[in-house]
């Protein structure tokens, strides 16, 4: 008997049943929370019944590949894997699911004719079963961290092999899962296979019962060039000048709640440093992580006395650069999906989420676009990439926001050091590419599809 088909212990079965009932009882509260979120981000109110596993649109033909990418970062990584899979199966049909509006928006660019994009259902027996019955995927691929107990059980019952790709798990999540082992144990054991980003991730996942097939690296190192984004970034840079000289552009990338206040306080704490940055013409490119905070951040920065210009105020293709944009001290990146533009427009970036104990954000994209990173002490969500960047010289780790601004001034006045960090980041990414092909090959090599093999299963109109 295979590991994934072993009967659950009775305690685990009871716990899973109670969990499913509890999740079902939460649905009215989740719907209310969704409506409140939707007032700030209307995308969350699109096709709400799909969260309950109810669909008013046709499914793709049975035998599709189902990929779940919860949010924006996972969707970008999923796009690299999907492209590698399409190269092997040009006729592959895709069911793409998300849990956030930013993930949905990014995912639309990955669809081809015949594909389907829907919300990931809430983790109840009824919703997960309706999802699988409607879409009938040949297999499922969860990206990075998204393992839900009831969905795993539903896939086992429906005989849908479920994999976890680009898998990562930090120490805090491992401890939390171990505390809830009656739920997490069956979920991780129920996965057909797991491919981890690093050996450290693999060891933590094994401790929860996951069957690790291989360590294949991080898909995000396969980030592709964005020539159109580069053209737009260069256009902005051509207007970011002071006294005929290009302005140093310092990005605050994917900032989280409280970090903008820390930045403003650190600026004010040392007037001589702030004046040196003003004299150098530093332009702060501030990009909050969550769209619902755009206006909140705009108000806070404006209240500090700094001149702010919003990205959303730029008119498309009119060729006119507003006077307010030319005089701004802060350019607020209140848009979604333009991180390649922002990174290619910036000289350096402060890594959001790393100055509060939130685990940081993915810094690989910054390195790939030649933007050196200054990161705070909290990078546990992307520990391996952060360590690689620090050790290679592509990133500088500092103790707090005050030290980060000292590093900004140091790089702004030592062009050779900044250029060296940029070069090291590009080298780090170039040396780590190839994960997308490895993941696609690993999926293709799995043999849970009878005599026809996985390629035949995906190409067949019935499964």
């Amino acid at each position: 008997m295979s590991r994934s088909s072993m009967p659950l212990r009775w305690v685990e079965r009871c716990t899973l049943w109670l969990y499913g009932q509890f999740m079902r009882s939460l649905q009215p509260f989740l719907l209310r929370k969704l409506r409140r979120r939707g007032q700030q981000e209307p995308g969350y109110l699109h096709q709400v019944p799909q969260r309950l596993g109810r669909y008013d649109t046709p499914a793709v033909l049975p035998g599709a590949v189902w990929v779940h990418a919860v949010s924006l970062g996972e969707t970008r990584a999923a796009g690299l894997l999907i492209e590698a899979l399409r190269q092997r199966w040009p006729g592959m049909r895709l069911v793409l699911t998300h849990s956030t509006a930013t993930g949905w928006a990014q995912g639309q660019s990955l669809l081809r004719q015949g594909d389907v994009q829907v919300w990931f259902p809430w983790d109840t027996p009824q919703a997960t079963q309706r999802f699988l019955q409607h879409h009938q995927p040949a297999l499922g691929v969860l990206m990075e961290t998204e393992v839900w107990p009831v969905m795993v059980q539903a896939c086992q019952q429906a005989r849908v092999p479920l994999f976890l790709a680009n898998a990562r798990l930090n120490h805090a999540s491992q401890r939390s899962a171990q505390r809830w082992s009656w739920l997490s144990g069956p979920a991780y054991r129920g996965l057909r296979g797991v491919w981890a980003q690093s050996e450290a991730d693999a060891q933590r996942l094994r401790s929860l019962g996951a069957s690790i097939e291989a360590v294949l690296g991080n898909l995000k190192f396969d980030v592709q060039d964005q020539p159109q984004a580069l053209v737009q970034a260069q256009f902005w840079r051509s207007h970011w000048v002071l006294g005929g000289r290009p302005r140093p552009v310092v990005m605050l990338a994917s900032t989280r709640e409280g970090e903008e206040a820390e930045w403003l306080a650190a600026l004010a704490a040392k007037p001589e440093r702030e004046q040196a940055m003003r004299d150098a013409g530093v332009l702060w490119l501030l990009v909050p992580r969550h769209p619902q905070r755009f206006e909140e951040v705009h108000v806070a920065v404006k209240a500090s006395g700094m001149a702010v210009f919003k990205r959303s105020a730029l008119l498309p293709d009119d060729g006119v650069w507003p006077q307010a944009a030319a005089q701004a001290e802060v350019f607020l990146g209140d848009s979604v999906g333009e991180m390649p533009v922002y990174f290619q427009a910036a000289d350096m970036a402060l890594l959001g989420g790393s100055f509060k104990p939130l685990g940081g954000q993915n810094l690989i994209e910054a390195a790939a676009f030649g933007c050196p990173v200054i990161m705070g002490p909290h990078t546990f969500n992307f520990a391996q990439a952060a360590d690689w960047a620090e050790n290679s010289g592509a990133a500088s780790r500092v103790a707090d926001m005050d030290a980060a601004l000292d590093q900004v001034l140091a790089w702004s006045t030592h062009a050779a050091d900044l250029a060296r960090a940029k070069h090291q980041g590009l080298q780090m990414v170039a040396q780590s590419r190839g994960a997308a092909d490895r993941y696609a090959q690993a999926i293709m090599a799995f043999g849970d599809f009878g005599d026809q093999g996985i390629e035949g299963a995906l190409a067949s109109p019935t499964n």
Side-chain angles (χ1 to χ4, degrees):
M1 181 179 293
S2 69
R3 186 177 190 174
S4 62
S5 61
M6 291 174 61
L8 299 179
R9 295 191 298 270
W10 71 270
V11 173
E12 292 176 341
R13 291 200 302 269
C14 291
T15 303
L16 188 58
W17 183 85
L18 289 171
Y19 165 82
Q21 298 308 306
F22 174 70
M23 289 296 292
R24 187 179 184 186
S25 71
L26 284 181
Q27 284 183 348
F29 303 98
L30 293 173
L31 286 169
R32 283 200 288 272
K33 181 180 179 181
L34 198 64
R35 293 189 186 100
R36 287 196 300 270
R37 184 73 179 268
Q39 292 174 357
Q40 297 175 309
E41 289 184 78
Y44 277 91
L45 298 180
H46 175 67
Q47 292 287 352
V48 171
Q50 291 180 358
R51 308 271 190 173
L52 305 174
R54 299 193 176 101
Y55 308 95
D56 59 5
T57 55
V60 298
L61 291 173
V65 176
W66 160 41
V67 176
H68 175 57
V70 57
S71 194
L72 183 61
E74 294 86 354
T75 305
R76 287 177 176 154
L80 300 168
L81 175 59
I82 290 166
E83 179 59 29
L85 288 171
R86 291 197 197 275
Q87 290 176 6
R88 287 164 172 77
W89 308 303
M92 184 188 81
R93 297 173 300 279
L94 175 69
V95 176
L96 185 60
T97 61
H98 315 277
S99 299
T100 69
T102 53
W104 181 286
Q106 181 70 24
Q108 289 184 316
S109 65
L110 306 179
L111 303 177
R112 294 186 182 179
Q113 186 175 4
D115 294 339
V116 169
Q117 184 183 34
V118 295
W119 292 111
F120 187 79
W122 284 332
D123 204 36
T124 69
Q126 297 78 15
T128 54
Q129 289 168 13
R130 285 194 289 260
F131 168 81
L132 293 171
Q133 289 169 0
H134 185 78
H135 296 290
Q136 299 183 50
L139 77 159
V141 180
L142 309 175
M143 298 300 300
E144 299 198 12
T145 61
E146 283 288 293
V147 180
W148 290 90
V150 172
M151 177 58 84
V152 173
Q153 184 189 48
C155 286
Q156 288 178 288
Q157 293 171 345
R159 298 185 180 276
V160 175
L162 189 60
F163 305 94
L164 184 64
N166 213 39
R168 59 182 173 89
L169 188 74
N170 60 46
H171 287 292
S173 297
Q174 179 190 25
R175 289 193 296 270
S176 177
Q178 287 171 336
R179 285 195 296 270
W180 295 90
S181 60
W182 289 348
L183 277 177
S184 65
Y188 282 100
R189 290 197 304 271
L191 296 170
R192 181 62 185 84
V194 175
W195 297 290
Q197 292 185 16
S198 70
E199 185 55 45
D201 291 311
Q203 291 177 3
R204 288 189 283 269
L205 287 158
R206 283 193 193 98
S207 74
L208 302 180
S211 176
I212 304 297
E213 299 301 324
V215 175
L216 299 181
N218 193 334
L219 276 165
K220 292 175 181 176
F221 279 109
D222 282 10
V223 60
Q224 299 171 346
D225 292 338
Q226 300 276 342
Q228 289 185 332
L230 177 59
V231 170
Q232 186 170 334
Q234 290 173 336
F235 173 74
W236 290 355
R237 288 301 303 249
S238 70
H239 291 278
W240 287 339
V241 294
L242 181 68
R245 295 183 295 111
R247 299 177 68 177
V249 180
V250 183
M251 180 178 176
L252 289 94
S254 298
T255 53
R256 305 283 291 274
E257 188 169 4
E259 290 183 318
E260 301 91 359
E262 283 192 359
W263 163 63
L264 291 170
L267 274 177
K270 294 183 178 179
E272 68 283 358
R273 183 179 60 194
E274 183 179 15
Q275 188 58 49
M277 291 182 176
R278 287 180 185 272
D279 291 343
V282 168
L283 175 67
W284 299 96
L285 174 53
L286 176 54
V287 185
R289 170 67 174 169
H290 297 117
Q292 67 268 26
R293 297 188 58 243
F294 287 162
E295 188 54 32
E296 166 194 330
V297 172
H298 176 242
V299 170
V301 176
K302 195 172 181 180
S304 75
M306 300 182 78
V308 189
F309 187 86
K310 296 195 290 184
R311 161 69 180 95
S312 59
L314 282 180
L315 299 177
D317 302 325
D318 62 359
V320 177
W321 194 253
Q323 185 67 22
Q327 297 174 343
E329 297 170 273
V330 179
F331 188 94
L332 180 63
D334 59 340
S335 64
V336 175
E338 289 194 304
M339 292 302 281
V341 181
Y342 295 136
F343 280 129
Q344 291 180 97
D347 292 301
M348 66 190 84
L350 277 63
L351 186 67
S354 70
F355 295 94
K356 292 286 187 182
L358 301 169
Q361 302 295 150
N362 170 34
L363 56 78
I364 296 171
E365 193 172 36
F369 292 128
C371 183
V373 167
I374 302 168
M375 55 191 179
H378 307 291
T379 56
F380 53 80
N381 280 337
F382 304 92
Q384 185 183 57
D387 290 345
W388 283 354
E390 181 183 13
N391 294 336
S392 70
S396 175
R397 188 186 296 276
V398 297
D400 53 28
M401 187 65 76
D402 183 69
L405 296 191
D406 286 340
Q407 183 62 48
V408 167
L409 197 56
W411 270 349
S412 297
T413 54
H414 293 82
D417 291 342
L418 182 63
R420 189 177 304 111
K422 175 177 179 176
H423 173 75
Q424 291 302 113
L426 293 171
Q427 287 292 104
M428 179 186 74
V429 173
Q431 293 168 2
S432 304
R433 292 184 182 275
D437 284 336
R438 292 192 292 272
Y439 280 100
Q441 186 62 38
I443 292 173
M444 185 176 71
F446 249 88
D448 269 15
F449 296 88
D451 294 337
Q452 63 181 338
I454 186 170
E455 186 171 4
L458 299 180
S460 174
T462 60
N463 183 34

